[in-house]
Amino acid sequence: MFLEGKRAVITGSTSGIGLAVARALHSKGAKVVLSGFGDAAEIAALCEELDASHVGGDLSKREGVEELMAAAGDCDIVVNNAGMQHVAPVEEFPVEKWDAIIALNLTAAFHTSRLAVPYMKKAGWGRIINVASAHSLTASPFKSAYVSAKHGLDGLTKTLALELATFNITANCISPAYVWTPLVENQIPDTMKARNMTREQVIEDVMLERQPTKKFVHPSDIGAMALFLCRDEAANITGSNITVDGGWTAQ
Ligand code: NAD
């Protein structure tokens, strides 16, 4: 239980990857604070399962992030995971979707970091883990906002790593390729439209086509990597962008 006594806030942890990370950190003794939207009864059940609290604000708004961090209290571990996607050609890309994706996938991580770092410095220990994407390292068509935000998150992570290197605080990205979660399932209809494809073609010819393993990554794979980054053995891993992508970015 090497995380006993540590407190972790995981954004977007009512579902998918964030929930898997919360489960992993809880399994080693961390006190976890959940965030994100969802059915009230399901969230209450998750809070009971993980002995967690939950803050449900909108993290695409600065006030939402500030409320989360105030309610979470002093956190040793911050996992910036909340994210959204929209798929459309650039000339049709809804401007409000661009703004929302940049705000949630990138700016929220700046706000949680700036708010968490003073306590981490005082504590002499901290972990900032940013769930980026293979799209923080490569691009795909029709995902201009997402690719831009994730590349930005990689840049933010490197900057934090340099600023915090002497404080025993690490900052890293974990970059998955396709993980089977609601975020992925929900982008199938728009991708069908943007590429004029069937659902099966989107899964096989778009999503798994570039994934050499031809399999989706499991949310628990990301949880396990996040857990490793919290270990003392990972103290010298900082400013890294660690791919968990079935070989996607090796191509
Ligand atoms: P998901 O849709 O299953 O979960 C997203 C979580 O974020 C949910 O808890 C949701 O309630 C929360 N959320 C969404 N909008 C929010 C907002 N405005 N304010 C607060 N919370 C909000 O998604 P996921 O697939 O688990 O994705 C998690 C992260 O992993 C994202 O940053 C995503 O970009 C990244 N990622 C996912 C994949 C994939 O294939 N699933 C691949 C690479 C990267």
Side-chain angles (χ1 to χ4, degrees):
M1 301 295 263
F2 75 98
L3 291 179
E4 204 78 61
K6 298 275 195 264
R7 196 171 176 82
V9 60
I10 303 111
T11 69
S13 42
T14 51
S15 165
I17 293 169
L19 178 55
V21 172
R23 286 193 166 119
L25 299 185
H26 168 74
S27 76
K28 296 298 173 195
K31 185 84 185 158
V32 298
V33 179
L34 302 177
S35 106
F37 305 141
D39 175 78
E42 282 173 24
I43 292 174
L46 287 177
C47 286
E48 198 173 318
E49 174 198 330
L50 299 174
D51 187 27
S53 54
H54 168 256
V55 187
D58 181 354
L59 302 183
S60 67
K61 309 266 187 307
R62 173 180 159 180
E63 306 75 49
V65 187
E66 289 176 347
E67 275 165 32
L68 169 66
M69 297 308 283
D74 291 336
C75 286
D76 308 278
I77 301 164
V78 173
V79 182
N80 291 301
N81 165 80
M84 60 185 286
Q85 174 65 284
H86 188 79
V87 180
V90 70
E91 69 275 24
E92 292 167 22
F93 210 92
V95 172
E96 61 282 3
K97 288 280 184 199
W98 170 278
D99 288 343
I101 290 172
I102 299 294
L104 181 64
N105 296 19
L106 175 58
T107 309
F110 159 69
H111 288 308
T112 58
S113 302
R114 72 177 172 80
L115 294 168
V117 159
Y119 167 73
M120 290 179 178
K121 281 186 171 174
K122 211 161 52 177
W125 193 94
R127 295 289 188 263
I128 298 171
I129 300 170
N130 295 327
V131 179
S133 167
H135 283 121
S136 71
L137 296 163
T138 60
S140 294
F142 313 124
K143 295 184 174 179
S144 53
Y146 187 87
V147 170
S148 302
K150 295 295 187 180
H151 275 66
L153 190 58
D154 182 49
L156 172 66
T157 306
K158 287 173 179 159
T159 309
L160 293 173
L162 296 180
E163 287 186 29
L164 302 172
T166 56
F167 293 93
N168 204 20
I169 302 167
T170 67
N172 291 288
C173 285
I174 302 177
S175 285
Y178 280 109
V179 187
W180 189 256
T181 68
L183 179 141
V184 164
E185 211 169 346
N186 292 340
Q187 65 187 273
I188 292 176
D190 283 347
T191 310
M192 287 166 64
K193 203 168 126 209
R195 292 180 181 255
N196 193 24
M197 286 179 162
T198 66
R199 180 182 163 85
E200 290 64 36
Q201 284 171 324
V202 169
I203 292 175
E204 295 302 324
D205 301 342
V206 179
M207 295 178 165
L208 296 181
E209 196 271 326
R210 282 175 71 183
Q211 207 140 307
T213 53
K214 304 296 174 200
K215 286 185 189 137
F216 287 96
V217 175
H218 295 291
S220 59
D221 300 347
I222 312 304
M225 181 53 74
L227 201 53
F228 180 72
L229 288 173
C230 293
R231 299 196 78 98
D232 287 340
E233 295 93 319
N236 283 301
I237 302 175
T238 194
S240 293
N241 190 331
I242 300 165
T243 55
V244 183
D245 66 358
W248 175 296
T249 48
Q251 299 168 97

